[in-house]
């Protein structure tokens, strides 16, 4: 759902690639004012941009759909994912949008093509995401892989035909091949002794923080709409950016008869105290879904410098990294810094990196 004037409205159907794809639900939605809807559904009439240069998500969306749809619908959806406080590159994040723009626009009046797959839009391992990591670690150990987690990697240098990693406990490890899957700023620091051309593009990738308060409450203590959560446009004001109803989105995240909300606060609040984060979240739930009494569970959590921002120029940085990596046989890079911030892209990138190292061994 999406908040407008303090009330929650269903997100219009027919979003495609995180932007509106169907005109009728957009015209009918109560989530944005009528004037904004009329402007938005005129999207197919907006001529395609001829310039080939990259563009920010904000500029693209306002050009195609108008400011009302950007502020009321699109920015709230993209902001939490990509960090739209920066000028985020369309080509690096949603490259198909420019193609669709040239293909007669993004909106369709008729729904055509195969029906969207039914079933839940979200999935995660039962028991939480760490089950995925635990299963991977178990599978590796069964194959005789030794996993060391005691000391961070401080720096990487060449070592004969391979690489030497210096660790924080002042020991080092040498290997013929090296796969680096670290957050962008750490990659920059660790790889600088090896090659400044490799480090510089990573150092130029800004990182975004996130902060959330988790609030548990008895289901009968609030009137929560049947939705996996809601987004709060910036224009609505207030400290809350989005709410995920974890207990509705993922089975088994709250005891029977209880609900669990994850309330994302705006980045400016990252440094607020735990109590302030929780208080802001509880206040929001009181106003939006009529939460009564005291929560049964609260927890504040921050993800610092956790999400890379693909700002304008990102694709140039990726190309620079690729060119520099090619000069280091047996070196591969993976992780969210370059080619996709979500897990599916990260997993695909990791497989590609692993395959490139296997090919190196074959050679
Ligand atoms: C709040 C939040 C919600 C998200 N929700 C979703 C979602 O619903 N769906 C989705 O697909 N994606 C989601 N993501 C994105 C997803 O978490 C990332 O795509 C993924 O974690 C990136 O993987 P990574 O391996 O690149 O980085 P990370 O998972 O950050 O892993 C980097 C690792 O490097 C380690 N490290 C750091 N420094 C060193 C060092 N010096 N030496 C050794 N190790 C070091 C860290 O401890 C960490 O384990 C979310 C992200 C956030 C922050």
């Amino acid at each position: 759902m999406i908040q407008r004037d303090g009330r929650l409205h269903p997100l219009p159907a027919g979003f495609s690639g995180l932007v509106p794809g169907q005109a009728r639900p957009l015209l009918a939605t109560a989530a944005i004012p009528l004037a904004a809807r009329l402007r938005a559904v005129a999207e197919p009439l907006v001529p395609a941009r001829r310039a080939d240069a990259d563009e920010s998500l904000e500029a693209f969306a306002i050009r195609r759909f108008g400011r009302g749809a950007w502020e009321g619908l699109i920015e709230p959806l993209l902001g939490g994912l990509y960090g739209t406080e920066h000028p985020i590159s369309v080509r690096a994040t949603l490259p198909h949008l420019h193609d669709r723009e040239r293909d007669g626009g993004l909106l369709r009046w008729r729904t055509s093509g195969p029906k969207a797959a039914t079933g839940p839009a979200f999935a995660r391992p039962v028991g939480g995401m760490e089950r995925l990591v635990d299963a991977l670690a178990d599978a590796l150990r069964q194959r005789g892989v030794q996993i060391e987690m005691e000391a961070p990697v401080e720096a990487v240098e060449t070592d004969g035909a391979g690489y030497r990693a210096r660790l924080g406990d002042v020991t080092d490890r040498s290997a013929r091949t090296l796969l680096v899957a670290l957050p962008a700023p750490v990659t920059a620091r660790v790889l600088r002794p090896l090659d400044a051309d490799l480090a510089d593009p990573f150092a130029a990738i800004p990182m975004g923080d996130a902060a959330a308060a988790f609030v548990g409450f008895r289901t009968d203590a609030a009137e929560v709409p049947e939705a996996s959560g809601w987004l709060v446009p910036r224009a609505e004001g207030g400290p809350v950016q989005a709410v995920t109803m974890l207990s509705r989105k993922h089975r088994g995240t709250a005891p029977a008869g209880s609900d669990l909300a994850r309330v994302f606060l705006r980045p400016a609040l990252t440094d607020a105290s735990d109590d302030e984060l929780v208080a802001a979240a509880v206040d929001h739930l009181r106003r939006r879904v009529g939460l009564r009494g005291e929560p049964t569970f609260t927890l504040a959590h921050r993800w610092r410098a956790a999400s890379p921002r693909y700002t304008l120029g990102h694709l140039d940085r990726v190309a620079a990294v690729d060119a520099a990596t090619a000069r280091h046989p047996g070196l591969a890079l993976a992780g969210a810094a370059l080619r996709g911030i979500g897990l599916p892209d990260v997993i695909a990138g990791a497989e590609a990196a692993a395959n490139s190292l296997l090919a190196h061994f074959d050679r």
Side-chain angles (χ1 to χ4, degrees):
M1 302 190 89
I2 196 133
Q3 183 179 314
R4 178 184 166 204
D5 295 336
R7 294 182 50 200
L8 301 180
H9 300 275
L11 198 64
F15 267 65
S16 159
L18 297 171
V19 295
Q22 287 174 25
R24 275 171 219 280
L26 196 56
L27 193 56
T29 182
I32 53 173
L34 179 63
R37 283 181 260 158
L38 292 173
R39 165 62 187 87
V41 296
E43 186 274 337
L45 304 177
V46 177
R49 182 166 164 264
R50 296 208 173 275
D52 232 16
D54 199 1
E55 194 177 15
S56 74
L57 281 176
E58 179 173 2
F60 177 88
I62 292 176
R63 191 167 56 72
R64 298 299 311 171
F65 295 100
R67 185 168 290 279
W70 165 252
E71 290 179 353
L73 280 180
I74 305 171
E75 194 282 333
L77 200 56
L78 299 181
L81 294 175
Y82 296 115
T84 43
E85 66 275 14
H86 298 276
I88 296 299
S89 154
V90 176
R91 288 191 188 278
T93 49
L94 300 168
H96 56 282
L97 292 188
H98 271 137
D99 296 339
R100 280 171 55 197
E101 171 179 26
R102 288 195 183 151
D103 198 21
L106 288 80
L107 281 186
R108 298 282 176 267
W109 281 95
R110 283 170 197 281
T111 29
S112 58
K115 282 253 176 295
T118 51
F122 305 102
R124 68 164 203 174
V126 174
M129 289 304 294
E130 73 184 69
R131 294 284 291 271
L132 196 63
V133 179
D134 290 345
L136 179 59
D138 287 347
L140 289 170
R141 287 195 185 98
Q142 278 169 21
R143 286 162 175 76
V145 173
Q146 194 184 333
I147 299 175
E148 297 188 41
M149 299 201 296
E150 288 71 31
V153 179
E154 297 285 353
V156 165
E157 297 150 336
T158 47
D159 179 26
Y163 300 92
R164 183 169 58 239
R166 269 196 279 122
L167 306 189
D169 61 3
V170 221
T171 61
D172 51 45
R173 304 285 182 279
S174 291
R176 276 175 62 197
T177 59
L178 177 72
L179 198 160
V180 177
L182 295 166
V186 185
T187 305
R189 187 158 46 81
V190 160
L191 292 184
R192 191 159 295 284
L194 181 73
D195 187 344
D197 290 345
L198 200 46
D200 286 342
F202 281 102
I205 297 173
M207 300 294 285
D209 298 324
F214 296 75
V215 181
F217 52 89
R218 292 210 43 90
T219 301
D220 57 14
E223 279 72 49
V224 179
E226 262 317 311
S228 60
W230 57 91
L231 304 161
V232 185
R234 264 193 230 145
E236 290 283 297
V240 170
Q241 184 166 24
V243 177
T244 316
M245 285 306 304
L246 283 176
S247 46
R248 311 282 172 102
K249 191 172 169 184
H250 299 298
R251 217 160 21 93
T253 48
S258 293
D259 268 308
L260 181 64
R262 176 181 58 183
V263 182
F264 278 107
L265 287 315
R266 301 216 176 267
L269 266 87
T270 308
D271 292 323
S273 70
D274 285 10
D275 286 349
E276 286 171 302
L277 295 184
V278 169
V282 170
D283 179 61
H284 179 82
L285 293 171
R286 293 205 192 291
R287 288 166 194 262
R288 283 306 76 82
V289 295
L291 175 65
R292 297 174 293 277
E294 289 309 307
T296 52
F297 170 87
T298 59
L299 175 82
H301 187 80
R302 296 166 194 77
W303 294 263
R304 288 196 189 276
S307 302
R309 303 307 194 204
Y310 293 180
T311 51
L312 289 177
H314 185 79
L315 292 183
D316 296 335
R317 290 188 274 281
V318 173
V321 166
D322 286 346
T325 311
R327 296 200 295 267
H328 300 283
L331 174 69
L333 297 160
L338 297 180
R339 290 190 168 84
I341 58 162
L343 288 172
D345 287 332
V346 170
I347 291 169
E351 287 178 342
N355 284 331
S356 82
L357 294 186
L358 289 175
H360 176 74
F361 277 120
D362 286 346
R363 279 200 294 278

